[in-house]
Amino acid sequence: MLNIQEEVSLKDFTTFKIGGRTKYFIKASNDNEIKGAVKWTKEKKLPFFILGGGSNILFSDSDYNGVIIKIENRELNFKGNEVIAGAGIVFLKLILFCKEKSLSGLEWGAGIPGTVGGAIFGNAGAFGGEVKNNIKEVLAVDKETLEEKRFSSKDCKFSYRNSIFKKTKKYIISSGIFSLEKKEKGEIGRVIREHILYRKEHHPLGQPSAGSIFKNIKTKDIENSLLERFFEFKEKAEVPAAYIIDKAGLKGKRVGGAKISEKHTNFIVNYDNAKAKDIISLINFIKGEVKKKFDIELKEEVIIIK
C-alpha cells in the first residue's frame, strides 16, 4: 500500500535547502511501489517528478501542485566483480561497500552527494572518472507503459553529464549493475580518503549548495585567442567552469541570500536563507557576465524545477 503524504516541504529533501511545498509526496522502495505511485498520479491526472538525493535540484519557492515520487530502492548486493545497487542508495555508501569487497572503479565519486540513481541519470563524474565507465546494466521503469526495461551501457547513451534517462525523461531508474575490478582494500581506501580530503579543502561543504552549477567547457569550443588567456588548460580537454567564473571576477558575488562561493566559484551557496529566485538571479548574472567578457555560454548542470 502506498504511503502518500500531503503538503510536504521540499526544502527538507534538497541539498540547497530551498523549495516550497508539494501537494503529494510518495516514497517508493521497489519497482512495484514505483509503478503504483506513477499509476496513482495518472489516475489523479497530476504531474509528477522523480526525486533522488536532491543534490542537483533547485525547486521553486512556489508550491508544486503535483506529486514528488522519492526513489528509495536500497538493494545492495555483489557477485564476483559486479555490484547491483538500488537507485536510492547514497553513492558514497555504494563506494564504501565496494571498498569492503575489494572492488575498485568508483573511488572518484567519494564525497559526491546524491544517490546511485542520480549519478546514473546525470552520468556523474570527477577526478577523471565517470559512471559510464563502470555501468554494465541499468534497470528502469517506463513511465508510460510501466514496463520494466534493461539498458546496457551502450543503450544508456552516456555523454558528458548526460544519459538517455536525462535526455528523454521517459524512464525511472530502479537500480544499476556496476562492473568493477579487484584491488587491495587498503589502496582503495587511500584513494577514497584523498578525494574526500580534497573536497573538504576545496569545496564549501559547510553550506547548503547543489554542487557544481555549470558544466565545464570543452576546449575545442573556445576560440584560440581566448585559450591563450586560459593557457593552463590549452592542452587539456576542457576548461573548468569554476576557472572561467573566477577569471570573470565573480567570486563572492551575492544576490539576496545566495552567494558565489569564495572557495569554489562553480558553487552557489545558500548562506542566508536564500530563495530560489536568488539562486536563479545569480545563475543568470553569471551567464551574462561570462558571455559579455569571454563570449562563452555556460550551461547549467543543476536542474531547475519551476
Side-chain angles (χ1 to χ4, degrees), residues 1-5 22 24-51 64 66-73 141-146 172-173:
M1 186 170 179
L2 292 177
N3 179 11
I4 303 169
Q5 301 176 57
T22 179
Y24 297 105
F25 187 89
I26 303 174
K27 293 181 180 180
S29 300
N30 53 53
D31 284 2
N32 286 335
E33 290 184 2
I34 291 172
K35 294 175 188 177
V38 173
K39 186 177 179 181
W40 186 83
T41 64
K42 289 184 177 182
E43 290 171 352
K44 296 289 184 181
K45 296 182 179 180
L46 290 170
F48 66 92
F49 180 80
I50 302 300
L51 180 66
Y64 181 68
V67 184
I68 298 295
I69 302 175
K70 189 173 191 315
I71 305 302
E72 297 210 330
N73 179 357
V141 174
D142 187 303
K143 289 182 179 179
E144 291 301 318
T145 66
L146 299 185
I172 302 169
I173 298 167

Side-chain angles (χ1 to χ4, degrees), residues 129-174:
E130 289 180 293
V131 163
K132 72 174 185 178
N133 297 335
N134 295 99
I135 277 289
K136 180 181 179 181
E137 282 188 329
V138 174
L139 284 67
V141 174
D142 187 303
K143 289 182 179 179
E144 291 301 318
T145 66
L146 299 185
E147 293 177 350
E148 296 175 27
K149 293 180 176 289
R150 285 181 176 267
F151 294 81
S152 68
S153 181
K154 184 178 180 181
D155 294 335
C156 292
K157 297 182 181 178
F158 288 119
S159 58
Y160 177 62
R161 302 298 176 267
N162 215 338
S163 70
I164 191 172
F165 310 105
K166 189 172 182 179
K167 289 173 187 172
T168 68
K169 309 290 193 301
K170 287 176 61 178
Y171 308 101
I172 302 169
I173 298 167
S174 172

Side-chain angles (χ1 to χ4, degrees), residues 9 39 88 110 122 126 156 168 172 185 203 224 226 252 263 282 306:
S9 174
K39 186 177 179 181
C156 292
T168 68
I172 302 169
K185 187 188 298 185
H203 295 179
N224 288 332
L226 183 56
K263 208 169 186 180
L282 197 46
K306 298 179 180 179

